[in-house]
Amino acid sequence: MRRMSRTAATITAVLVSASACQRADHPSPGTASPDPRIELRSTAPDLSSVEVVGLPGEDLAALERRPLAREQWTALLRVVVSSKTAAVDAATADRPAVLGSYAVREGRLRFTPQFPFDTGQRYDVVLDPSRLPTSPTRSPAPWHSRLLTRSIELAALPLQPTTRVMAVFPSAPEVPENQLRLYVSFSAPMSRSGGARYLRLLDQAGQAVVDPFLPLDVDLWNEDQTRYAVLFDPGRVKRGIMPNEQMGRPLAAGRTYTLVVDQGWPDAHGQPLAAPFRRQFRVGAPEEQAIDPAAWSLAVPHEGSDDPLTVTFPKPLDYALLQRALTVSGPGGDRVPGDIRVEANETRWLFVPKVPWQTGTYRLLAASILEDVAGNRIGRPFEVENLAQGEVKGEARPASVAFRVLPRGR
Amino acid sequence: MRRTYFKLLLVVTLALATTGLPAAGGADATAGSSPTFKHLQTLAFGPDGVLFAADGQEVSITALQLAKQMAGGVPGTKDIAGIDQKIAGLLGVDAKNLVITDMVVNPKTRNTFISAMRGQGAGATPVLLRVDGAGKIEVISFDQVRYSRVLMPNPPPAETPLVLGERKIPVANYPDKVDPKGLMGVQTITHMAFIDGKLYVSGLANEEFASKMRVIPYPFVTVSKGTSVEIYHGSHGQLETFSPVFTFVPYTIDGVPSIVASYLCTPLVKFPVSAFEPGSKVRGTTIAEFGNRNRPVDMIIYKKNGQDYILMSNNVRGVMKVPTQPFGKADGINKQIADTAGVPFESVASMKGVQQLDLLDSTHAMLLVQTAAGGLDLKAADLP
């Protein structure tokens, strides 16, 4: 990301304070010209240097003949990371000089940082002409008595907050009180910083629900960092184990809650969200039945069509698992390539094949990991297991639903 | 209360694995000069002039020949307040774009070596620094540095599950996907220690028993397959195999050369060194549980008033001091426990915000301490 923004960077020097700062003991600046000046030289985003232009030839020659030690170089020409609180010329001596090499090139004194200047980072540059080699022997020109200062910055393209929360899943206005997880979907990739601090769940009085989510700082992102998963604490969701008995479920049937996504959640470019996000939902009775594929209804297109296969479920299923736990195999048994859409509050799954449907028997395959929003699987409701004993009463299983694609007109 | 019930949920088995013969290709050592790194993750001093540096992204370990770079500084390490600002200033970045990944003290010179990433994301640059007794901070250039390197065979996938009851939560392993301030941390390579001519390396691999302890003879020739080691994690009430050892030290317990290791949420475990036979699987003895929601960071052994102690830093629960005397006879923890259990320990109230810890000398620890203002101080502290 940083490399991209660098490549896209417009290289500009931001002139903050190009004028000289007079020393108190040399009140007259005079009018000598041309005075030396500090410039940012940039041949490529990663190849930038600071140059002092217009130094006397005898100084440059002396510096070339007899290079200085690092401490002497940094006393002559000092580049520091800019401080928000200190003035350009003040306190640069207290801040570490940026590591780099000094050289005389093309009639200029050049400082090249050991690590490329960062885009969007301001640097303060101070030249102390009194440290020039010939300074003690010359009748000082007026500029010789002044610190020459300048702030430089490799400006990145100006960034605007553009990333938005696109959706929250489950998307139904009512969820079961034993809902196990939710997903926040963004319009663009997000940063790696943890999401927990940017999410709040409010009850209907507007008070934050205490510890509704799994207390684990594990960030559960999809591959391109656009969908974030939040787990309700399964210890509180599952009946009969200690947290549930002590604290009850985080969501209570009959009540209304609001999920709040703070605007400060940084996206992959470090920008906040374009807007805060709130989503209100009601909570209904718990969903405690296993998924039953026999209850699904299939609308099957005809041969030659590339219309979607439409599968309708009697209850919403988990949004993320619907993207990968349902597949279609063709008459030859191979997986059919196609695109998936999830609609109707996750009660409808549509599959558009890359090539038109052929006459024959296809299969809709559901992996055993498929869950509804409360963690119930095919043949295995969430509540059957006895976690404390490590006991498993029923294994979740995959399912296969055959359907026939018929010739047109049948 | 949160900690109490959280324990009930996590049932994880941990396996350390030391490998047998390498799979064809990828595990033989290479050598050269001017090494490059993707992500400097963790450091350990080796034999004279050698510093081992692990690359958490490439999942490799590089033995750097740094005799020249280790010499020359003023012995010792001077305290430096705001060292993150100082280092960031030298590197030309804002301190918020600097991540310090490890800190170790050279046992010979007592200079402190720090690994860091300058910048974040794909464009970040690994940097190695030395702080000497005069407080001078130097960047150690890898230019012309001779090195040998081994890639860990069978590196872990992008994610390894954290097991929650029967559920598996995918946890990112590699630095490019890990929040440096998060609970979990980088899991590819977590810790190294050089013991009697061999480098011990903890981390994960792409195997059913993901957690590994590799024992790599130095000079590097090849990396063998590992010994799988699992432990019973009392506060999670289960066996652990997916989560790595996060830190460990060699220590002889009642005459038995051992490794004392710690894991996430936070069991203390002992393994006899003799158990790390290539291809075998061992179960460590869990001798303490130090509480949940916590990742151990560093461990040191020291002696005070004739007693040996382990000092362990954690990312949440502060620094803990553990007398080692009861380790030999300690009963293994084999059933679910409440918050903490096992051998006694005390929290060191004087050490707050410790992010990195190493032994400076026989009476001092070197600490990297997060201040209330959010900066980092490098400072020596009396061993408690």
Side-chain angles (χ1 to χ4, degrees):
Chain A
M1 172 197 78
R2 192 163 145 268
R3 191 158 296 283
M4 271 177 54
S5 66
R6 258 204 195 143
T7 313
T10 329
I11 299 153
T12 54
V14 178
L15 186 67
V16 173
S17 166
S19 64
C21 298
Q22 290 180 16
R23 282 186 172 167
D25 53 343
H26 292 287
S28 168
T31 56
S33 94
D35 287 355
R37 63 184 189 279
I38 294 167
E39 288 185 353
L40 176 65
R41 171 192 161 93
S42 214
T43 49
D46 280 1
L47 284 175
S48 301
S49 51
V50 166
E51 291 188 339
V52 184
V53 184
L55 287 172
E58 55 268 44
D59 281 316
L60 294 174
L63 289 170
E64 257 190 309
R65 270 198 315 275
R66 196 163 47 81
L68 307 178
R70 171 169 158 83
E71 288 71 22
Q72 296 170 305
W73 279 123
T74 59
L76 171 63
L77 180 65
R78 192 174 187 84
V79 181
V80 301
V81 173
S82 195
S83 157
K84 288 187 181 68
T85 50
V88 175
D89 60 323
T92 52
D94 297 340
R95 282 177 271 153
V98 174
L99 292 173
S101 58
Y102 294 81
V104 175
R105 293 282 182 275
E106 299 161 19
R108 300 164 171 213
L109 173 58
R110 180 182 297 171
F111 169 79
T112 307
Q114 186 170 339
F115 301 90
F117 289 131
D118 261 9
T119 54
Q121 173 66 55
R122 184 168 292 187
Y123 299 88
D124 297 338
V125 185
V126 178
L127 177 80
D128 182 352
S130 72
R131 304 281 187 158
L132 284 167
T134 64
S135 187
T137 63
R138 289 151 49 90
S139 60
W143 63 266
H144 245 230
S145 60
R146 294 172 272 152
L147 295 179
L148 184 63
T149 67
R150 187 167 175 186
S151 280
I152 58 161
E153 183 177 334
L154 282 175
L157 282 177
L159 289 171
Q160 296 290 328
T162 53
T163 305
R164 292 174 180 280
V165 175
M166 300 297 285
V168 167
F169 302 100
S171 53
E174 182 172 304
V175 301
E177 76 165 19
N178 58 343
Q179 181 187 341
L180 198 58
R181 57 172 92 76
L182 59 80
Y183 301 96
V184 184
S185 177
F186 297 91
S187 61
M190 295 293 286
S191 68
R192 285 184 293 132
S193 66
R197 73 198 88 156
Y198 302 108
L199 283 173
R200 282 173 297 149
L201 188 67
L202 307 180
D203 63 19
Q204 48 199 19
Q207 298 298 307
V209 177
V210 177
D211 295 343
F213 304 124
L214 186 67
L216 192 66
D217 302 340
V218 180
D219 283 335
L220 306 171
W221 289 100
N222 65 344
E223 183 64 21
D224 61 1
Q225 304 255 130
T226 57
R227 193 178 67 229
Y228 184 75
V230 184
L231 293 162
F232 283 92
D233 190 329
R236 293 186 61 184
V237 172
K238 185 178 273 292
R239 284 182 179 166
I241 75 169
M242 196 191 299
N244 176 261
E245 289 173 355
Q246 287 174 340
M247 302 177 70
R249 281 175 167 155
L251 301 175
R255 298 194 182 166
T256 299
Y257 296 84
T258 304
L259 180 76
V260 179
V261 182
D262 288 344
Q263 193 174 358
W265 198 339
D267 70 8
H269 296 286
Q271 294 296 303
L273 299 176
F277 180 88
R278 295 173 77 88
R279 161 76 193 292
Q280 200 175 66
F281 57 91
R282 289 191 312 278
V283 172
E287 173 55 58
E288 296 181 335
Q289 300 303 309
I291 297 173
D292 179 10
W296 298 351
S297 67
L298 275 63
V300 181
H302 281 286
E303 177 208 10
S305 149
D306 55 7
D307 288 348
L309 165 74
T310 303
V311 184
T312 305
F313 318 112
K315 63 180 179 181
L317 299 186
D318 182 275
Y319 174 79
L321 291 171
L322 282 174
Q323 313 296 321
R324 60 191 177 95
L326 284 181
T327 53
V328 174
S329 69
D334 291 342
R335 181 169 172 175
V336 179
D339 295 322
I340 290 166
R341 287 207 312 274
V342 173
E343 295 180 348
N345 299 335
E346 299 87 66
T347 61
R348 196 154 65 220
W349 186 84
L350 297 93
F351 179 82
V352 181
K354 296 277 189 207
V355 294
W357 299 102
Q358 309 294 315
T359 302
T361 300
Y362 288 74
R363 286 183 175 276
L364 173 67
L365 302 173
S368 61
I369 58 170
L370 184 66
E371 293 183 354
D372 68 12
V373 300
N376 300 302
R377 296 186 176 185
I378 299 169
R380 180 184 172 80
F382 188 56
E383 289 288 349
V384 299
E385 62 211 84
N386 184 335
L387 190 69
Q389 303 289 319
E391 193 181 313
V392 175
K393 287 181 180 165
E395 284 299 329
R397 53 178 168 80
S400 169
V401 180
F403 59 93
R404 276 191 68 75
V405 172
L406 301 174
R408 279 199 179 279
R410 297 273 302 270
Chain B
M1 182 192 299
R2 162 181 280 213
R3 289 185 180 117
T4 319
Y5 68 72
F6 186 57
K7 282 172 208 149
L8 288 174
L9 300 173
L10 292 178
V11 187
V12 186
T13 314
L14 239 154
L16 297 172
T18 327
T19 28
L21 285 174
D28 289 345
T30 56
S33 64
S34 305
T36 58
F37 294 89
K38 291 176 178 163
H39 186 97
L40 269 183
Q41 181 59 32
T42 179
L43 306 173
F45 280 97
D48 272 1
V50 173
L51 179 69
F52 296 108
D55 187 322
Q57 191 69 35
E58 191 183 64
V59 201
S60 66
I61 295 168
T62 303
L64 297 163
Q65 301 288 345
L66 292 177
K68 201 171 66 181
Q69 291 83 348
M70 289 181 192
V74 177
T77 299
K78 189 181 178 184
D79 289 1
I80 298 181
I83 192 166
D84 55 332
Q85 295 277 354
K86 297 273 191 336
I87 293 173
L90 286 172
L91 304 181
V93 287
D94 191 284
K96 71 176 191 297
N97 289 324
L98 179 80
V99 178
I100 291 179
T101 53
D102 203 6
M103 179 206 82
V104 290
V105 175
N106 184 332
K108 295 246 166 35
T109 65
R110 309 293 172 190
N111 290 164
T112 294
F113 285 67
I114 290 172
S115 55
M117 295 301 291
R118 177 198 187 271
Q120 296 182 12
T125 310
V127 185
L128 179 67
L129 303 114
R130 181 183 79 167
V131 183
D132 76 0
K136 186 175 185 192
I137 305 172
E138 282 180 284
V139 172
I140 294 180
S141 167
F142 297 128
D143 189 37
Q144 302 302 313
V145 167
R146 302 278 312 160
Y147 73 93
S148 59
R149 174 174 287 171
V150 281
L151 295 172
M152 296 300 102
N154 207 8
E159 294 168 338
T160 295
L162 178 70
V163 179
L164 253 153
E166 69 149 10
R167 271 154 225 293
K168 292 178 178 178
I169 297 176
V171 176
N173 292 325
Y174 286 78
D176 65 348
K177 291 283 186 186
V178 168
D179 178 2
K181 295 195 165 45
L183 173 69
M184 301 300 290
V186 173
Q187 301 200 111
T188 51
I189 296 176
T190 52
H191 196 74
M192 298 185 289
F194 187 67
I195 308 163
D196 294 336
K198 293 170 184 164
L199 187 68
Y200 287 61
V201 182
S202 57
L204 294 183
N206 189 11
E207 290 175 15
E208 185 187 352
F209 292 99
S211 179
K212 290 251 165 214
M213 180 75 83
R214 290 189 167 94
V215 183
I216 309 169
Y218 182 81
F220 293 151
V221 177
T222 187
V223 184
S224 61
K225 249 188 130 189
T227 309
S228 292
V229 183
E230 61 187 10
I231 62 152
Y232 186 80
H233 189 170
S235 75
H236 290 176
Q238 64 183 12
L239 290 168
E240 298 264 14
T241 54
F242 290 108
S243 182
V245 162
F246 275 97
T247 186
F248 62 89
V249 285
Y251 184 64
T252 299
I253 301 171
D254 293 352
V256 179
S258 301
I259 293 285
V260 178
S262 191
Y263 293 75
L264 192 75
C265 303
T266 311
L268 190 71
V269 180
K270 63 176 182 180
F271 301 101
V273 165
S274 60
F276 295 118
E277 282 297 316
S280 68
K281 187 170 100 173
V282 297
R283 183 177 296 181
T285 306
T286 306
I287 56 175
E289 292 279 354
F290 293 152
N292 254 302
R293 295 220 71 204
N294 189 28
R295 170 161 52 94
V297 179
D298 283 311
M299 245 193 243
I300 57 176
I301 298 265
Y302 67 99
K303 193 181 277 292
K304 189 167 186 176
N305 301 329
Q307 259 267 31
D308 285 355
Y309 296 92
I310 282 181
L311 200 62
M312 183 164 93
S313 63
N314 305 275
N315 70 337
V316 174
R317 291 199 163 198
V319 174
M320 294 163 182
K321 176 186 177 183
V322 193
T324 63
Q325 191 273 331
F327 284 11
K329 301 212 164 35
D331 290 331
I333 295 171
N334 292 314
K335 61 181 193 320
Q336 191 155 41
I337 52 97
D339 193 39
T340 61
V343 298
F345 68 96
E346 59 180 281
S347 294
V348 182
S350 61
M351 293 183 176
K352 297 278 188 220
V354 174
Q355 304 236 320
Q356 297 284 343
L357 165 73
D358 202 2
L359 194 67
L360 178 62
D361 56 37
S362 59
T363 53
H364 294 90
M366 194 46 134
L367 309 178
L368 194 64
V369 179
Q370 180 140 46
T371 63
L376 290 172
D377 292 349
L378 182 70
K379 66 177 185 184
D382 291 339
L383 286 165

